[in-house]
């Protein structure tokens, strides 16, 4: 399971077909973890005291990936 960030005005939701949790962009990390834990709890997935885990037991990463772009021989990290 993974977390995907969508439009800032989107409501947090679980997409069963894609097996993803959709969160609005711009959320502070603490809020994102809380929302992911709440969604998983509604899906009856027991959560540990810290972080969030999938129903398979793997940790759910809520930090959005920073895209990389290659320019010539250098790699540029956006948002860094």
């Amino acid at each position: 399971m993974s977390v995907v960030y969508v439009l800032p005005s989107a409501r947090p939701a679980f997409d069963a077909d894609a097996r993803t949790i959709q969160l609005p962009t711009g959320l502070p990390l603490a809020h994102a973890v809380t929302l992911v834990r709440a969604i998983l709890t509604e899906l009856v997935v027991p959560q540990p005291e810290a972080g969030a885990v999938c129903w398979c037991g793997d940790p759910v990463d809520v930090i959005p990936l920073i895209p990389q772009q290659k320019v010539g021989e250098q790699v540029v990290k956006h948002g860094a």
Side-chain angles (χ1 to χ4, degrees):
M1 175 184 323
S2 62
V3 173
V4 294
Y5 288 86
V6 293
L7 297 174
S9 60
R11 297 186 70 177
F14 174 68
D15 182 345
D17 294 332
R19 294 186 178 223
T20 60
I21 294 177
Q22 299 175 346
L23 297 179
T25 57
L27 281 177
L29 182 59
H31 292 239
V33 171
T34 300
L35 281 172
V36 168
R37 289 173 55 86
I39 290 169
L40 289 168
T41 299
E42 286 182 9
L43 295 171
V44 193
V45 179
Q47 295 299 299
E49 287 187 32
V53 294
C54 176
W55 50 78
C56 67
D58 288 342
V60 177
D61 189 11
V62 297
I63 299 173
L65 296 176
I66 299 171
Q68 292 185 357
Q69 180 181 12
K70 246 187 169 180
V71 179
E73 292 298 317
Q74 293 183 328
V75 173
V76 177
K77 291 186 179 183
H78 297 283

